[in-house]
Amino acid sequence: MGIRRKKITVVGAGFTGATTALMLAQKELGDVVLLDIPQLENPTKGKALDMLEASPVQGFDSNIVGTSNYEDAADSDIVIITAGIARKPGMSRDDLVNTNAGIVRSVCENVKKYCPNSIVIILSNPVDAMTYAAYQTLGFPKNRVIGQSGVLDTARYCTFIAQELGVSVEDVRGFVLGGHGDDMVPLVRYSNVGGIPIDTLIPQNRIEEIVQRTRVGGGEIVNLLGNGSAYYAPAASLVQMTEAIIKDKKRIIPVIAYLEGEYGYQDLFLGVPTILGGNGIEKVFELELTSEEKAALDKSADSVRNVIKVVQG
Ligand SMILES: NC(=O)C1=CN([C@@H]2O[C@H](COP(=O)(O)OP(=O)(O)OC[C@H]3O[C@@H](n4cnc5c(N)ncnc54)[C@H](O)[C@@H]3O)[C@@H](O)[C@H]2O)C=CC1
Ligand SMILES: O=C([O-])CC(=O)C(=O)O
């Protein structure tokens, strides 16, 4: 039996989906299927072919096809869902809930049918609630249904810390807990540069500004773009998660995971630190939190629960 390349389907060929497809192929993580609605079949095929024609220049051997037919996605190892509408200035992510819940559910019906053994990563917003909707529709075990927020939120946080200190982004460590909304919880106590705690290097008022800028980091980009939301850093985040799974790297990454008692929460999807490997979410770390940190996480969990209630009907 030959060794088969991994197959990765990206549903939604818009800004985030197309960027993700190209980055996945450039890293040769597998063959990529880019899938959008039938009305956009030709543009989707065109994007995929254009990416493929970059492969001789950049020297990557991943195949990329565009389609609107789930048969082309059959038996994918990983499915990344970016389908849905994005917010515009003045909107919150939660304003997208009804439209995107319908889209995510219809996509997941197909994923369940054509890719029953896949690991599914959800990006569509409001992502904590969309991951919940996907989990309900897919009926997959919880380790195989994963939402993306923590990698992106942490990336923003680490960017701002590196800028503040004028140090390499490679040496910044930290992470963000909670829902993908304005009350997410960057954990300052667990943040360091080259092992040196940031609160010994950055004054408290500047740390607070960095935390606040991180919380509204998505909105900052939405306001600058004017007609859509971020896609380069979101795509890079999806690729990091995909790589951790495909290479079974067992990376410690904050992702949106289904909680059944962890941190005291039941039947909730929320951003928490996990081990991400070949089986998807292999472990959820339950950190000791101070009473202040726990209160902030409770507030974020309450916001997520309110949006989940909408998808629960
Ligand atoms: N969780 C996160 O950190 C982030 C989430 N997002 C979210 O990701 C989503 C996509 O964002 P963009 O790519 O910028 O939007 P976009 O509008 O550029 O692309 C969305 C694509 O989904 C497609 N689509 C709609 N219904 C579909 C269906 N039933 N099947 C297949 N494809 C379908 C559309 O035709 C469109 O091409 C938005 O909901 C956005 O809010 C974006 C960035 C970060
Ligand atoms: O802000 C948005 O609507 C898109 C998103 O989730 C992000 O960039 O964090």
Side-chain angles (χ1 to χ4, degrees):
M1 195 179 80
I3 293 172
R4 183 175 82 82
R5 282 195 208 160
K6 294 293 180 189
K7 182 170 175 181
I8 308 163
T9 290
V10 181
V11 185
F15 285 109
T16 56
T19 311
T20 302
L22 180 60
M23 288 184 180
L24 290 169
Q26 285 170 327
K27 290 187 80 112
E28 294 185 318
L29 290 177
D31 289 333
V32 180
V33 177
L34 185 60
L35 189 150
D36 210 294
I37 53 177
Q39 298 89 312
L40 292 179
E41 180 161 274
N42 276 342
T44 305
K45 285 186 165 158
K47 285 182 191 185
L49 181 60
D50 187 16
M51 289 177 203
L52 190 64
E53 289 168 356
S55 64
V57 183
Q58 295 201 308
F60 60 82
D61 277 313
S62 290
N63 192 31
I64 313 170
V65 295
T67 185
S68 65
N69 184 346
Y70 278 91
E71 282 175 13
D72 295 325
D75 298 325
S76 292
D77 299 285
I78 297 195
V79 178
I80 298 173
I81 301 178
T82 75
I85 55 170
R87 65 174 163 154
K88 296 192 165 63
M91 294 171 76
S92 92
R93 295 180 183 90
D94 297 349
D95 295 335
L96 312 172
V97 64
N98 287 317
T99 306
N100 284 354
I103 291 172
V104 167
R105 283 193 196 286
S106 78
V107 168
C108 287
E109 293 290 354
N110 285 299
V111 174
K112 184 178 176 172
K113 181 169 170 201
Y114 289 96
C115 311
N117 299 314
S118 59
I119 293 177
V120 181
I121 306 175
I122 294 98
L123 187 79
S124 315
N125 269 322
V127 64
D128 305 276
M130 292 307 102
T131 309
Y132 191 96
Y135 179 63
Q136 279 185 322
T137 306
L138 290 165
F140 289 2
K142 63 181 179 179
N143 59 303
R144 291 203 275 126
V145 185
I146 311 168
Q148 188 308 116
S149 68
V151 179
L152 174 63
D153 298 330
T154 300
R156 288 181 174 140
Y157 178 59
C158 292
T159 302
F160 304 147
I161 292 170
Q163 279 183 336
E164 178 73 16
L165 291 172
V167 302
S168 167
V169 289
E170 285 186 61
D171 294 320
V172 185
R173 284 283 176 275
F175 60 89
V176 177
L177 281 183
H180 189 50
D182 295 353
D183 43 23
M184 65 180 73
V185 187
L187 273 192
V188 175
R189 203 161 53 90
Y190 286 91
S191 309
N192 68 76
V193 288
I196 309 166
I198 64 159
D199 54 9
T200 64
L201 300 174
I202 306 176
Q204 187 56 31
N205 66 320
R206 285 295 300 151
I207 291 180
E208 279 163 21
E209 282 165 17
I210 287 170
V211 164
Q212 185 50 25
R213 188 174 176 195
T214 301
R215 287 182 159 151
V216 296
E220 181 177 6
I221 306 279
V222 166
N223 289 333
L224 288 167
L225 292 179
N227 191 29
S229 51
Y231 48 101
Y232 294 116
S237 305
L238 290 169
V239 171
Q240 184 184 78
M241 292 168 69
T242 306
E243 183 175 30
I245 295 166
I246 280 181
K247 295 188 180 169
D248 190 25
K249 284 176 78 84
K250 311 211 184 287
R251 292 212 55 186
I252 299 174
I253 295 186
V255 303
I256 299 168
Y258 188 63
L259 302 183
E260 291 176 298
E262 296 92 341
Y263 295 91
Y265 307 133
Q266 285 290 348
D267 191 30
L268 187 70
F269 271 96
L270 200 67
V272 288
T274 65
I275 296 181
L276 204 59
N279 290 316
I281 297 174
E282 299 186 355
K283 179 184 168 72
V284 170
F285 288 101
E286 243 185 302
L287 304 176
E288 292 273 332
L289 298 178
T290 64
S291 55
E292 233 175 50
E293 290 162 348
K294 183 64 170 65
L297 191 61
D298 284 347
K299 183 165 177 254
S300 180
D302 282 346
S303 303
V304 170
R305 207 176 277 114
N306 285 334
V307 191
I308 286 180
K309 275 189 196 137
V310 178
V311 305
Q312 280 173 324

